[in-house]
């Protein structure tokens, strides 16, 4: 599940993967900010709408792949109405699931120093509110319309693995559809999480992060259901842009590292638009 952040990244994954994730880190980076809880719900849902629209247009056949959205702490963390608004806003943006986490607001990237989490009872309450909003959304708009709740804990780095696992188990009891224990430090910690917590589970494979990089086959064998690659596309984009900028700065040959223009046009959707217009000519 490579994580996306805009229309072009969505188009790239639309026909290659069965599901994707809106990375809050990457959305913030694309707007020129670090992942420090700076962006608003409106900015994140605007990006979600761009992504779901791009997925719908780029899909070659069948329904578009589902999008999981980063709901941070509910963009307040203490207000039931703010959490409810977060779930409803992402539902209206056609997101299949929303991740809600137990960090203190404003939150930060789960693999950097300085983060903190709310207490156990408050974390469970936050997930309960999100699940209630999911159920309310479904009661209004029909079965299956409410975004699933992906409940994340960052407690491993602060209170240790036992507390983090206890939180995930409590999240499941509170109604969470999927759990995510952020930043386990070893395969053994991931295994313990999977063995201890029922239901679907997500793992993050972040290059240079706290968790060792494992294959999807390895992760599947220990019980991981979903594997996210949160910064792979963003990192490759920054690296590629930096390389071509170095060539331009040196007055070098830009034709060698550049993407073929016809391929670029097809990737962004020119052929798709041409084919559609030709139906009416």
């Amino acid at each position: 599940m490579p994580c996306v952040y805009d229309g072009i990244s969505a188009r790239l994954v639309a026909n290659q993967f069965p599901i994707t994730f809106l990375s809050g880190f990457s959305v913030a980076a694309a707007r020129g900010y670090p992942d420090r809880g700076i962006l608003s719900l409106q900015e994140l849902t605007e990006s979600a709408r761009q992504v779901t629209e791009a997925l719908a247009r780029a899909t070659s056949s069948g329904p578009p792949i589902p999008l999981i959205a980063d709901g941070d702490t509910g963009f307040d963390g203490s207000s039931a109405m703010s959490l409810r608004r977060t779930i409803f806003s992402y539902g209206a943006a056609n997101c299949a699931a929303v991740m809600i986490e137990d960090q203190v607001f404003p939150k930060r990237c789960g693999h950097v120093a300085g983060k903190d989490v709310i207490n156990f009872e408050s974390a469970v309450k936050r997930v309960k509110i999100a699940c209630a909003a999911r159920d309310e959304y479904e009661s209004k708009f029909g079965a299956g319309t409410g975004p699933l709740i992906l409940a994340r804990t960052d407690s491993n780095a602060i209170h240790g693995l036992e507390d983090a696992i206890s939180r995930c188990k409590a999240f499941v009891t509170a109604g969470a559809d999927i759990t995510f224990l952020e930043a386990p430090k070893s395969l053994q910690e991931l295994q313990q999480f999977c063995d201890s917590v029922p239901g679907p589970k997500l793992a993050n494979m972040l290059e240079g992060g706290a968790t060792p990089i494992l294959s999807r086959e390895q992760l599947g064998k220990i019980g991981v259901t979903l594997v996210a690659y949160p910064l792979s596309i963003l990192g490759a984009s920054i690296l590629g842009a930096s390389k071509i900028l170095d060539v331009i700065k040196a007055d070098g040959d830009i034709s060698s590292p550049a993407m073929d223009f016809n391929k670029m046009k097809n990737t962004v959707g020119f052929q798709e638009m041409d084919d559609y217009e030709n139906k009416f000519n």
Side-chain angles (χ1 to χ4, degrees), residues 45-90:
T45 52
E46 178 187 0
S47 293
R49 291 188 188 95
Q50 290 176 354
V51 167
T52 54
E53 180 185 346
L55 291 173
R57 287 189 289 105
T59 301
S60 57
S61 62
I65 64 173
L67 173 69
I68 301 174
D70 190 347
D72 284 353
T73 62
F75 299 93
D76 178 337
S78 61
S79 165
M81 290 308 301
S82 181
L83 280 159
R84 179 179 181 266
R85 186 185 184 207
T86 298
I87 303 306
F88 269 64
S89 295
Y90 277 125

Side-chain angles (χ1 to χ4, degrees), residues 4-239:
V4 299
Y5 51 92
D6 61 6
I8 187 60
S9 57
R11 290 186 66 89
L12 288 169
V13 306
N15 294 300
Q16 299 191 66
F17 297 89
I19 188 170
T20 188
F21 192 110
L22 182 72
S23 163
F25 186 114
S26 299
V27 171
R31 292 174 180 261
Y33 291 102
D35 186 14
R36 290 287 299 271
I38 294 170
L39 298 193
S40 66
L41 172 61
Q42 290 81 1
E43 289 170 305
L44 266 295
T45 52
E46 178 187 0
S47 293
R49 291 188 188 95
Q50 290 176 354
V51 167
T52 54
E53 180 185 346
L55 291 173
R57 287 189 289 105
T59 301
S60 57
S61 62
I65 64 173
L67 173 69
I68 301 174
D70 190 347
D72 284 353
T73 62
F75 299 93
D76 178 337
S78 61
S79 165
M81 290 308 301
S82 181
L83 280 159
R84 179 179 181 266
R85 186 185 184 207
T86 298
I87 303 306
F88 269 64
S89 295
Y90 277 125
N94 294 318
C95 295
V98 181
M99 183 173 74
I100 297 294
E101 62 192 73
D102 62 358
Q103 280 199 45
V104 170
F105 177 80
K107 58 88 63 183
R108 60 181 64 197
C109 170
H111 289 257
V112 302
K115 67 178 182 178
D116 198 3
V117 294
I118 57 179
N119 65 46
F120 187 100
E121 292 75 18
S122 297
V124 175
K125 180 181 178 182
R126 186 178 287 177
V127 173
K128 282 183 178 178
I129 294 169
C131 292
R134 170 203 62 201
D135 296 344
E136 181 188 358
Y137 194 96
E138 285 204 349
S139 72
K140 288 177 178 289
F141 304 110
T145 60
L148 300 179
I149 302 302
L150 166 57
R152 160 181 158 178
T153 182
D154 285 73
S155 182
N156 191 33
I158 297 99
H159 301 300
L161 183 63
E162 184 177 346
D163 183 78
I165 287 175
S166 294
R167 288 180 183 231
C168 286
K169 291 165 75 173
F171 294 165
V172 173
T173 302
D177 301 287
I178 313 163
T179 54
F180 172 29
L181 194 156
E182 174 67 298
K185 297 180 286 293
S186 65
L187 173 61
Q188 290 72 30
E189 287 194 354
L190 263 172
Q191 179 78 70
Q192 193 171 339
F193 163 52
C194 291
D195 290 344
S196 303
V197 181
K201 289 167 282 285
L202 180 142
N204 235 5
M205 293 292 102
L206 171 60
E207 301 89 336
T211 305
I213 302 297
L214 303 167
S215 70
R216 292 193 297 278
E217 182 180 4
Q218 288 175 295
L219 292 165
K221 285 180 178 179
I222 65 171
V224 171
T225 314
L226 294 169
V227 184
Y229 300 87
L231 301 182
S232 300
I233 295 178
L234 175 67
S237 299
I238 293 173
L239 184 62

